[in-house]
């Protein structure tokens, strides 16, 4: 479904991705953990085509992201959903309109079909009661859930989560992680999640990859990776919380 | 790296990049003109935002501009016993130059800055990236309504600015220069009677053409500056400042060339 092979990317003189390779199978949930500023979000931006690799292959659903462009890229993105770190909801639109936006702009669905779909995805994230509120009127956790509903509304085959627990308290963070897991099981989508949170990794991931210095240091089932003896992985996971 | 290369890299390269991006936004908007039917509701909202909300400032500024022109021209003309010509001078100055330029400057300060700040905030909060990820045409959804709205609103505001400017001049002519208000107005209207395109007074339509182009330019610069915002709140501040500065520079430069083009 998603394949990165020997991908390199540098910004100015800083090498962010350095021969990065991994594959995500259909229906698999990959979690990528790594230190802040290591370039985890950059990986997601390569997968969705917001950034282009300097070298290597980025393949999503059989499309080479280096050569795809224009209408083909737009069509591919309609099969992908992206949950932003800070939700990135449009401030002047209500919760309902935020979710309806991609359906109104990119599909030919009727108004009633759009209304039904919006309420359906709001139901999936337990936010039906807040559909008339504006982003500024709801909490960070609720914004995340609305962002998730927006990512789901177009029936994506691939979901990308950029630090879904960022800025949330532990309880809300766990709730979002459980929600992502439940949606994966119910909808069977392929997903890539970047996170700092061990709890999120354990809840969401089928596979956990530890990323640093532009490469995957170690990957495998989350419990195996978290219990591994890899020196750098142990240092990263046992670092004290500030 | 030589001094010239360093100066070029620091000043010229960013200038060409900003200009190129602005041009691409402008071309993008023109190519989406058939989207008017799709965006008419947002277009009306934007016309309200950029037109109605700027109206009082435009009228206030141009009323005083008319009074200033009448006062200064009146004093100078009276030295030669030609104070009756103040209506002519005020009308020509307002309609050809002052109303289009001052209205555009007010719009640059109020509307271009607001566009840059709004879009810049969206950019740094990844809302624009979110639109791209959702395959939504950012130019059509965000930029097109703003640019078309200001392009339509600017000439309407300029027409109103002409009226209040000439009225302001008339008040000064009567109260400070001891001229008859009716005579001033007749004189002013005579000044605008030179026929031009489609029977419209040339001075009037030259001002309207200018203000239409200014409106388009201000909106494109405002939107392009916002879309190029980076690095949080300070980046939004920089893009807002750049929007106002670049808009005003372009208004002044375009005003010269358009005046030259229309009157030669």
């Amino acid at each position: 479904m998603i394949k990165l092979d020997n991908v390199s990317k540098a910004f100015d003189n800083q090498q962010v991705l350095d021969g990065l390779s991994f594959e995500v199978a259909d229906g698999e949930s990959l979690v990528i953990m790594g230190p802040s500023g290591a370039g985890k979000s950059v990986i997601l931006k390569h997968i969705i085509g917001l950034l282009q690799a300097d070298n290597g292959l980025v393949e999503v659903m059989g499309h080479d992201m280096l050569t795809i462009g224009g209408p083909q890229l737009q069509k591919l993105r309609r099969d992908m959903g992206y949950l932003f770190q800070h939700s990135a909801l449009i401030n002047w639109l209500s919760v309902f309109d935020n979710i309806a936006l991609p359906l109104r702009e990119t599909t030919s669905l009727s108004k009633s079909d759009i209304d039904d779909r919006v309420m359906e995805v709001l139901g999936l994230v337990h936010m039906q009661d807040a559909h008339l509120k504006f982003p500024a009127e709801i909490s960070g956790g609720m914004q995340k859930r609305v962002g998730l509903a927006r990512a789901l509304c177009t029936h994506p085959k691939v979901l990308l989560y950029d630090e879904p627990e960022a800025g949330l308290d532990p309880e809300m963070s766990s709730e979002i992680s459980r929600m992502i897991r439940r949606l994966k099981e119910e909808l069977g989508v392929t997903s890539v999640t970047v996170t700092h949170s061990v709890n999120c990794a354990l809840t969401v991931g089928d596979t956990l990859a530890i990323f640093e210095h532009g490469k995957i240091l170690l990957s495998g089932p989350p419990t195996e990776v978290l219990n591994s003896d890899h020196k750098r992985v142990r240092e990263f996971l046992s670092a004290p919380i500030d | 790296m030589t001094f010239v290369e360093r100066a070029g890299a620091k000043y010229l390269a960013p200038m060409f990049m900003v200009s190129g991006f602005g041009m691409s936004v402008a071309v993008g908007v023109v190519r989406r003109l058939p989207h008017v039917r799709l965006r008419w509701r947002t277009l009306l909202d934007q016309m309200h935002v950029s037109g109605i909300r700027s109206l009082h400032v435009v009228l206030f500024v141009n009323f005083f501009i008319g009074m200033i022109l009448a006062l200064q021209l009146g004093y100078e003309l009276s030295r030669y016993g030609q104070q009756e010509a103040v209506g002519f001078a005020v009308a020509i100055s307002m309609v050809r130059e002052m109303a289009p330029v001052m209205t555009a400057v007010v719009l640059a300060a109020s509307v271009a800055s607001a566009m840059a700040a709004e879009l810049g905030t969206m950019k740094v909060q990844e809302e624009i990236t979110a639109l791209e990820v959702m395959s939504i045409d950012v130019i059509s959804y965000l930029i097109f309504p703003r640019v078309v709205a200001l392009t339509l609103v600017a000439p309407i505001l300029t027409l109103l600015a002409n009226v209040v400017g000439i009225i302001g001049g008339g008040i000064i002519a009567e109260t400070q220069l001891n001229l008859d208000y009716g005579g001033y107005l007749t004189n002013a209207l005579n000044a605008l009677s030179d026929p031009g395109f489609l029977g419209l007074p040339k001075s009037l339509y030259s001002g309207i053409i200018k203000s239409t182009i200014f409106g388009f330019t201000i909106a494109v610069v405002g939107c392009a500056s916002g879309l190029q915002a980076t690095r949080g709140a300070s980046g939004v501040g920089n893009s807002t400042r750049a929007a106002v500065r670049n808009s005003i520079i372009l208004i002044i430069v375009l005003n010269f060339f358009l005046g030259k083009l229309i009157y030669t």
Side-chain angles (χ1 to χ4, degrees):
Chain A
M1 193 64 134
I2 300 171
K3 182 180 175 186
L4 274 76
D5 186 19
N6 203 24
V7 173
S8 300
K9 180 73 179 177
F11 295 105
D12 297 326
N13 292 324
Q14 191 188 357
Q15 194 71 38
V16 178
L17 306 182
D18 188 10
L20 175 70
S21 300
F22 64 79
E23 283 188 47
V24 188
D26 193 3
E28 185 186 353
S29 172
L30 169 71
V31 174
I32 300 172
M33 285 182 78
S36 293
K40 300 186 296 296
S41 301
V42 171
I43 300 172
L44 297 186
K45 286 177 179 167
H46 277 81
I47 295 172
I48 200 133
L50 288 171
L51 291 173
Q52 288 216 322
D54 296 335
N55 289 302
L57 172 77
V58 179
E59 198 177 277
V60 180
M61 289 182 262
H63 296 276
D64 182 352
M65 300 304 284
L66 283 176
T67 55
I68 195 171
Q72 255 190 316
L73 178 60
Q74 290 195 336
K75 191 165 174 285
L76 180 66
R77 280 179 179 164
R78 281 178 213 139
D79 287 331
M80 301 167 83
Y82 196 116
L83 178 63
F84 285 82
Q85 195 173 344
H86 301 292
S87 306
L89 301 175
I90 308 298
N91 271 318
W92 68 77
L93 297 178
S94 67
V95 163
F96 184 96
D97 288 334
N98 259 289
I99 299 167
L101 182 65
L103 298 172
R104 289 177 183 150
E105 291 288 323
T106 63
T107 71
S108 53
L109 291 176
S110 67
K111 186 181 176 302
S112 63
D113 287 344
I114 290 174
D115 292 355
D116 291 346
R117 179 62 186 155
V118 172
M119 294 314 285
E120 185 189 341
V121 288
L122 277 172
L124 287 173
V125 297
H126 310 306
M127 285 287 293
Q128 280 152 314
D129 293 341
H131 71 284
L132 292 177
K133 291 186 184 294
F134 283 82
E137 297 169 345
I138 58 178
S139 68
M142 291 165 93
Q143 288 182 15
K144 277 274 158 67
R145 284 192 271 162
V146 176
L148 188 51
R150 186 176 67 179
L152 289 171
C153 72
T154 51
H155 299 284
K157 297 185 179 90
V158 171
L159 275 169
L160 306 174
Y161 301 102
D162 190 356
E163 304 206 15
E165 81 298 339
L168 302 179
D169 62 56
E171 196 179 354
M172 185 55 72
S173 172
S174 297
E175 190 186 327
I176 290 285
S177 298
R178 283 196 301 272
M179 193 170 279
I180 292 171
R181 185 73 204 180
R182 181 170 57 79
L183 291 171
K184 177 209 171 319
E185 282 162 4
E186 285 177 16
L187 307 174
V189 291
T190 307
S191 67
V192 180
T193 308
V194 300
T195 182
H196 290 113
S197 162
V198 173
N199 282 335
C200 178
L202 283 169
T203 311
V204 171
D206 299 324
T207 308
L208 172 61
I210 306 293
F211 172 81
E212 194 178 35
H213 302 308
K215 292 186 179 79
I216 300 291
L217 296 183
L218 182 67
S219 71
T223 45
E224 273 181 31
V225 172
L226 294 172
N227 292 320
S228 85
D229 295 330
H230 192 290
K231 184 171 174 281
R232 187 62 199 113
V233 174
R234 292 262 47 94
E235 283 172 2
F236 171 67
L237 293 172
S238 60
I241 298 166
D242 293 331
Chain B
M1 213 183 225
T2 66
F3 171 76
V4 175
E5 284 171 335
R6 278 203 309 274
K10 189 169 180 185
Y11 298 108
L12 284 180
M15 194 177 83
F16 281 117
M17 281 175 71
V18 169
S19 311
F21 184 70
M23 291 292 285
S24 72
V25 170
V27 170
V29 168
V30 172
R31 286 177 58 186
R32 285 165 181 80
L33 279 177
H35 292 201
V36 167
R37 275 177 9 147
L38 191 68
R39 305 287 177 203
W40 66 270
R41 196 184 289 267
T42 329
L43 187 57
L44 289 179
D45 284 345
Q46 287 300 323
M47 286 177 79
H48 176 262
V49 168
S50 53
I52 304 294
R53 290 194 190 165
S54 308
L55 180 64
H56 62 293
V57 185
V58 167
L59 296 183
F60 185 81
V61 166
N62 281 285
F63 183 72
F64 270 85
I65 292 290
M67 291 204 298
I68 292 164
L69 283 175
L71 197 64
Q72 296 300 329
L73 290 168
Y75 285 151
E76 288 306 309
L77 288 169
S78 63
R79 289 170 58 189
Y80 306 99
Q82 296 290 321
Q83 61 267 41
E84 285 78 12
V86 75
F88 184 94
V90 169
I92 290 289
S93 307
M94 280 306 298
V95 170
R96 285 190 191 177
E97 297 293 334
M98 296 312 288
V101 170
M102 292 312 296
T103 302
V105 169
V106 169
L107 291 175
S110 56
V111 182
S113 60
M115 286 177 180
E118 188 177 18
L119 295 174
T121 305
M122 288 185 75
K123 176 80 189 305
V124 299
Q125 291 182 347
E126 292 193 306
E127 291 172 38
I128 289 177
T129 310
L131 293 175
E132 285 176 35
V133 162
M134 292 186 284
S135 292
I136 294 172
D137 181 351
V138 173
I139 298 285
S140 174
Y141 182 68
L142 288 177
I143 312 302
F144 177 80
R146 285 167 171 76
V147 174
V148 174
L150 197 60
T151 307
L152 295 175
V153 155
I156 297 168
L157 289 176
T158 302
L159 277 174
L160 296 172
N162 289 334
V163 173
V164 294
I166 291 171
I167 290 172
I171 291 169
I172 292 298
E174 182 157 305
T175 59
Q176 304 293 312
L177 305 172
N178 299 319
L179 293 173
D180 169 50
Y181 190 79
Y184 164 88
L185 213 53
T186 310
N187 203 322
L189 292 175
N190 284 340
L192 304 177
S193 60
D194 54 332
F197 182 65
L198 289 175
L200 286 169
K202 188 172 181 180
S203 302
L204 194 64
Y205 83 69
S206 75
I208 299 302
I209 289 171
K210 279 184 184 180
S211 58
T212 307
I213 294 170
F214 291 162
F216 181 82
T217 307
I218 293 163
V220 166
V221 171
C223 291
S225 301
L227 290 178
Q228 290 191 303
T230 52
R231 294 178 193 148
S234 67
V236 175
N238 287 337
S239 71
T240 307
R241 189 164 45 244
V244 176
R245 180 194 61 215
N246 295 342
S247 297
I248 291 175
I249 290 171
L250 280 171
I251 290 163
I252 302 298
V253 173
L254 280 172
N255 186 49
F256 170 78
F257 286 106
L258 288 169
K260 180 97 176 111
L261 194 70
I262 293 168
Y263 284 98
T264 53

